[in-house]
Amino acid sequence: MAAGGLPLSRTGRQPIEVAIQAIREAGAIVAGHFGAPQKATLKGRGNLVTEVDLLAEKAILGLLRSEYPEHCIISEESDAVTTESPYTWIVDPLDGTNNYSFGLPFVSVTLALVRGEDILLGLTFDPLRQELFRAEKGKGAFLNDAPMAVSPRKDLQRSALGCDLGYDAEKGAQTLDFVRGLWPGMHSLRIMGSGALGLAYVASGRLEIYLHRFLYPWDVAGGILIIREAGGLVTDWQGVP
C-alpha cells in the first residue's frame, strides 16, 4: 500500500503518479488532434462523441488496466468494469466534446479515484494550456505545482458565475431561468462548455460559482475533491454536499 493507505500500482508506483501519466498521455492525444477534421457520432441531442474521445479513453484505460488490473473503472465512452475491489477509477477522456468539435479551445481530460463514496484523487487537465488541476484527499489542491485556493470574494455582485446547459432541454431551460433571476446581480456570466474545467476554475479562484442542473460522475468526481481541497464547497440543488 502507498502512503495514506492508497494501493501501489503493479509496478510499485503511487496512484497519483499513474493518474498524472494517464491524463497527460490522453491530453497529448487531444491536443495533437485539435483543429483537425473529426468524425463524430451523435449520442443524443447535442451530445457528440468523436474518434479523439475514443483514442484518449483507450490510452487512459490501457494504463489503468495495466497498473491496477483489479480495480473497477467507470468511463464515459465504455462499459463499466466491475470487480471485487473497493477502488474505482472514474474517467472522462474528453470533457467539452462540443467545444472540441467546433474548434473552441476549452476542453479537458478528467480522472478520479474513489473508494466507495470517498474521493481520494481528482485531476483535471487542460491539454491546450498545459494546466493540470489536481488534488489528493487531505493534501491540498494544486495548479501544476503551485498551491491554489478558491476566491475569497463573498459578494455575488463582484463574482464571476459559470454555467452550462447540458443535453436535457428542460434542465437547460431551468438553468437559464435561474440565471435570469440573478441577472444582472453578478459581475459576469460565462457558459463554459466543459463542466470539469468550470469546477477547476472555481477551485483556482477564476470563478466564484459554477452551476449545472445535471452532470454525470465522470464530469464531477475529480472536481468535487479539487474544490474541497482548495477550500470550496460543492452541493446539490438542495444545498446538500
Side-chain angles (χ1 to χ4, degrees):
M1 299 290 284
L6 294 182
L8 292 175
S9 75
R10 186 179 57 83
T11 57
R13 293 194 291 164
Q14 303 278 351
I16 188 66
E17 296 177 88
V18 175
I20 289 174
Q21 179 186 343
I23 208 168
R24 286 194 176 277
E25 288 183 359
I29 293 170
V30 171
H33 289 81
F34 182 73
Q38 298 296 322
K39 293 181 180 178
T41 302
L42 193 63
K43 297 191 292 184
R45 192 197 69 81
N47 189 2
L48 297 174
V49 57
T50 72
E51 55 192 338
V52 176
D53 292 75
L54 303 178
L55 287 171
E57 184 180 66
K58 182 178 180 181
I60 294 175
L61 299 191
L63 182 59
L64 294 182
R65 287 167 178 159
S66 173
E67 291 286 9
Y68 288 103
E70 72 282 7
H71 284 188
C72 305
I73 299 175
I74 297 173
S75 187
E76 181 175 10
E77 310 301 344
S78 297
D79 293 335
V81 175
T82 303
T83 71
E84 297 299 317
S85 173
Y87 295 97
T88 301
W89 293 93
I90 302 178
V91 180
D92 191 344
L94 177 51
D95 187 59
T97 301
N98 278 330
N99 281 351
Y100 193 82
S101 65
F102 281 91
L104 301 173
F106 196 81
V107 300
S108 62
V109 184
T110 185
L111 180 62
L113 176 64
V114 304
R115 182 173 51 215
E117 295 185 359
D118 194 16
I119 308 170
L120 306 174
L121 300 177
L123 302 92
T124 295
F125 181 47
D126 178 345
L128 303 179
R129 295 171 184 79
Q130 289 294 300
E131 291 186 331
L132 177 58
F133 305 84
R134 60 180 174 86
E136 295 181 70
K137 185 178 180 181
K139 295 185 178 181
F142 297 84
L143 172 49
N144 294 331
D145 292 324
M148 66 179 180
V150 296
S151 168
R153 285 187 286 273
K154 305 294 185 182
D155 183 355
L156 182 61
Q157 291 186 336
R158 298 176 58 234
S159 296
L161 185 150
C163 71
D164 282 300
L165 304 183
Y167 306 122
D168 183 285
E170 181 179 355
K171 289 184 171 62
Q174 291 170 355
T175 301
L176 289 173
D177 289 341
F178 182 84
V179 171
R180 189 179 296 115
L182 295 177
W183 183 263
M186 78 285 286
H187 177 76
S188 63
L189 172 68
R190 297 291 181 266
I191 295 180
M192 314 300 289
S194 169
L197 273 186
L199 296 173
Y201 277 22
V202 171
S204 61
R206 296 173 180 175
L207 295 173
E208 276 68 49
I209 302 168
Y210 176 79
L211 59 92
H212 201 298
R213 283 294 294 164
F214 184 82
L215 289 168
Y216 292 94
W218 46 78
D219 297 314
V220 299
I224 289 172
L225 180 66
I226 295 169
I227 287 178
R228 287 174 178 169
E229 290 293 320
L233 179 66
V234 184
T235 77
D236 65 15
W237 283 78
Q238 288 70 48
V240 178

